[in-house]
């Protein structure tokens, strides 16, 4: 009988499932844990990639605007952190140009690489080493854009570009751009001014009227909330005036050259060596400069300090010069009236290629640049810290004139053109698109 009971017990399978489940449970729980951990890692990876994309795009925009590397790095980090990146858990690298990939070595592209080091969960059974996740993104300009010849660099000013008075301004083949975020970044709310241009782009808003004519069919109205436009000359080094002697051959509180109704030629008497090794003819006027009569400036760099740069004469004074750059610092200011005839051209190569008037970046002076209907200015009026009033009847229809300043006011009758082939200027481009390319 006992033998039969043992046989029956051995044939009974009713408790086997419990044993199998008990043996399999650790494997099942571990598998579910590893699957959940893998999903969590994938989620973190996607968040990190999202942060890298936004960070790279921001870095590219700041680079395009002309910011220095430390400012670009700070912006990239701030945006990455706001997008979910935890800086305390990893590293960030901003590479200009990219250090890897299809855009490696391309100075127009910006690469951001993010890493985060996170502890293991269930997988700690197999390894005690933490998990390092990484994400990489590259952003670059993917649309070349269109040329502009007026650019206000101020980031906050109301009416950074203002069209006012009885202005009738025509911009041939070029547009207007304002980097200000103000609601009236571009302002022609007055009823007197007329402006014809290809397009208007503002980082902030636009306050225009019926006197604005836009010639580009793809720009039927001013473009608002646009990305800022890069300062085309942000990298140009200012001259070191401390090593250049003041001019003493024209003594007086207000230095003057020339005489009314006479012709005079000004030739630089000193030299200055640029950081790139170029030796430039230079002349430094430490008490302003009043040009009288007809004066021709020989090629070189002319420094104006501590006073106004004016043009005067009994009839129509003329100021001429090829391959010239006028640099304003330490209180120097251009005050050129509408009676003068200006025939000036910037160098088309070299250290100050394309720059006709250059205002110091720490010199927020007010400059008034006019000229009669026969005037031609070839090159850039580059006053990054200053207010520039462009007036008179300056005819640049056949030349190459750019106006780049902190703020710009157009108040006279003028025609500016952007036919700058072989004139040495750098392009001011609007409508460029920055995209993630990797």
């Amino acid at each position: 009988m006992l033998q039969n009971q043992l046989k029956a017990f051995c044939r009974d399978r009713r408790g086997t499932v419990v044993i199998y489940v008990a043996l399999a449970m650790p494997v099942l729980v571990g598998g579910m844990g590893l699957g959940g951990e893998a999903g969590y890692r994938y989620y973190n990876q996607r968040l990190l990639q999202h942060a890298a994309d936004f960070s790279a795009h921001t870095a590219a925009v700041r680079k395009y605007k002309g910011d220095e590397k430390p400012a670009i790095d700070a912006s990239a980090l701030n945006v990455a952190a706001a997008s979910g990146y935890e800086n305390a858990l990893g590293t960030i690298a901003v590479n200009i140009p990219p250090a890897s990939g299809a855009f490696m070595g391309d100075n127009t592209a910006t690469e951001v690489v993010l890493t985060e080091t996170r502890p293991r969960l269930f997988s700690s059974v197999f390894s005690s080493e933490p998990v390092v996740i990484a994400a990489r993104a590259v952003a670059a300009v993917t649309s070349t854009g269109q040329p502009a010849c007026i650019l206000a660099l101020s980031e906050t000013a109301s009416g950074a570009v203002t069209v006012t008075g009885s202005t009738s301004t025509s911009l041939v083949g070029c547009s207007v751009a304002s980097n200000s975020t103000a609601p009236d970044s571009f302002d022609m709310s007055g009823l007197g001014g007329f402006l014809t241009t290809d397009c208007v782009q503002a980082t902030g808003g636009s306050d225009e009227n019926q006197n604005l004519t836009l010639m580009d069919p793809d720009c039927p109205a001013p473009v608002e909330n646009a990305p800022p436009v890069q300062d085309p000359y942000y990298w140009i080094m200012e001259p070191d005036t401390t090593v250049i002697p003041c001019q003493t051959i024209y003594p007086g509180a207000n230095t003057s050259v020339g005489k009314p109704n006479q012709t005079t030629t000004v030739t630089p008497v000193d030299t200055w060596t640029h950081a790139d090794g170029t030796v430039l003819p230079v002349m430094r006027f430490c008490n302003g400069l009043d040009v009288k009569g007809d004066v021709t400036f020989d090629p070189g760099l002319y420094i104006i300090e501590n006073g106004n740069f004016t043009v005067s004469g009994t009839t129509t004074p003329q100021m001429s010069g090829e391959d010239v750059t006028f640099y304003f610092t330490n209180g120097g200011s251009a005050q050129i009236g509408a009676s003068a005839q200006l025939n000036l051209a910037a160098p088309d190569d070299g250290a100050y290629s394309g720059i006709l008037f250059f205002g110091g970046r720490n010199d927020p002076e007010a400059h008034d640049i006019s000229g009669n209907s026969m005037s031609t200015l070839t090159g850039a009026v580059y006053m990054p810290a200053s207010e520039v009033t462009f007036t008179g009847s300056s005819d640049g229809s056949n030349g190459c004139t750019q106006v780049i300043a902190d703020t710009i006011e157009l108040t006279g009758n003028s025609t500016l053109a952007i036919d700058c082939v072989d004139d040495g200027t750098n392009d001011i481009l609007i409508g460029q698109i920055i995209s993630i390319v990797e």
Side-chain angles (χ1 to χ4, degrees):
M1 184 175 180
L2 178 60
Q3 184 179 5
N4 292 335
Q5 289 177 341
L6 289 175
K7 289 180 179 181
F9 177 78
C10 292
R11 288 194 299 267
D12 192 347
R13 298 290 186 267
R14 287 175 294 179
T16 304
V17 173
V18 175
I19 298 174
Y20 287 160
V21 169
L23 293 174
M25 188 59 68
V27 177
L28 293 173
V29 172
M32 293 174 62
L34 290 175
E37 182 175 347
Y40 179 62
R41 296 287 178 236
Y42 178 77
Y43 171 74
N44 286 333
Q45 174 69 45
R46 295 309 303 160
L47 285 181
L48 196 63
Q49 186 62 56
H50 172 79
D53 290 345
F54 273 89
S55 181
H57 188 272
T58 297
V61 169
R62 303 305 298 186
K63 175 184 179 297
Y64 168 70
K65 184 178 179 293
D67 286 359
E68 297 294 334
K69 186 62 162 54
I72 295 173
D73 291 347
S75 295
L77 175 58
N78 288 339
V79 170
S83 302
Y85 167 65
E86 298 186 43
N87 191 37
L89 298 178
T91 63
I92 179 172
V94 181
N95 300 317
I96 305 174
S100 61
F103 288 81
M104 183 172 63
D106 186 344
N107 284 312
T108 67
T110 302
E111 176 187 55
V112 170
V113 180
L114 300 177
T115 68
E116 286 183 350
T117 301
R118 292 182 174 273
R120 292 180 181 272
L121 301 176
F122 282 93
S123 63
S124 61
V125 174
F126 306 102
S127 174
S128 60
E129 293 296 323
V131 175
V132 178
I133 58 175
R136 171 183 173 273
V138 176
V141 176
T142 57
S143 175
T144 57
Q146 300 172 325
C149 51
I150 300 290
L151 171 60
L153 298 172
S154 173
E155 297 182 353
T156 58
S158 295
V161 176
T162 299
V163 181
T164 187
S166 59
T167 305
S168 179
T169 300
S170 178
L171 307 181
V172 180
C174 64
S175 300
V176 174
S178 174
N179 285 351
S180 172
T181 58
D184 56 349
S185 175
F186 171 78
D187 183 15
M188 60 177 301
S189 56
L191 297 179
F194 288 79
L195 174 64
T196 300
T197 184
D198 281 359
C199 190
V200 170
Q201 173 179 301
T203 302
S206 170
D207 189 358
E208 74 280 357
N209 58 32
Q210 67 273 14
N211 295 339
L212 174 65
T213 301
L214 300 178
M215 302 301 293
D216 186 348
D218 294 328
C219 182
V223 179
E224 300 181 326
N225 302 313
V229 175
Q230 184 184 53
D231 177 348
Y233 302 102
Y234 72 92
W235 49 272
I236 298 294
M237 186 181 77
E238 297 181 48
D240 182 2
T241 61
T242 63
V243 299
I244 303 169
C246 291
Q247 194 51 240
T248 58
I249 61 174
Y250 303 106
N254 293 307
T255 303
S256 63
V257 296
K259 295 181 180 180
N261 301 320
Q262 293 187 20
T263 300
T264 304
T265 298
V266 178
T267 302
V269 296
D270 295 297
T271 59
W272 173 66
T273 303
H274 191 272
D276 66 5
T278 304
V279 178
L280 298 172
V282 63
M283 205 167 192
R284 180 184 177 196
F285 297 96
C286 294
N287 293 293
L289 180 63
D290 183 17
V291 175
K292 297 181 179 294
D294 299 340
V295 176
T296 298
F297 288 85
D298 280 343
L301 172 66
Y302 296 89
I303 299 171
I304 315 295
E305 299 182 33
N306 192 35
N308 292 335
F309 180 37
T310 59
V311 182
S312 62
T314 55
T315 54
T316 303
Q318 297 186 31
M319 185 170 68
S320 305
E322 295 283 337
D323 298 328
V324 293
T325 298
F326 296 90
Y327 173 68
F328 299 88
T329 187
N330 298 329
S333 174
Q335 300 296 322
I336 302 174
S339 64
Q341 180 175 326
L342 311 176
N343 297 290
L344 300 170
D348 58 13
D349 59 12
Y352 295 106
S353 175
I355 300 182
L356 183 58
F357 294 142
F358 186 0
R361 295 187 176 91
N362 295 313
D363 295 278
E365 303 298 327
H367 302 271
D368 190 339
I369 300 173
S370 304
N372 65 20
S373 61
M374 300 300 293
S375 295
T376 300
L377 300 177
T378 302
V381 176
Y382 179 56
M383 309 291 196
S386 300
E387 170 191 338
V388 169
T389 302
F390 201 93
T391 62
S393 301
S394 178
D395 183 2
S397 58
N398 296 315
C400 165
T401 307
Q402 299 173 329
V403 182
I404 305 105
D406 187 60
T407 62
I408 300 168
E409 183 176 358
L410 302 174
T411 62
N413 300 321
S414 58
T415 300
L416 300 182
I418 200 64
D419 183 13
C420 292
V421 178
D422 299 326
D423 285 321
T425 56
N426 294 332
D427 291 336
I428 307 170
L429 296 173
I430 69 169
Q432 288 187 306
I433 299 174
I434 297 175
S435 305
I436 299 297
V437 293
E438 287 186 15

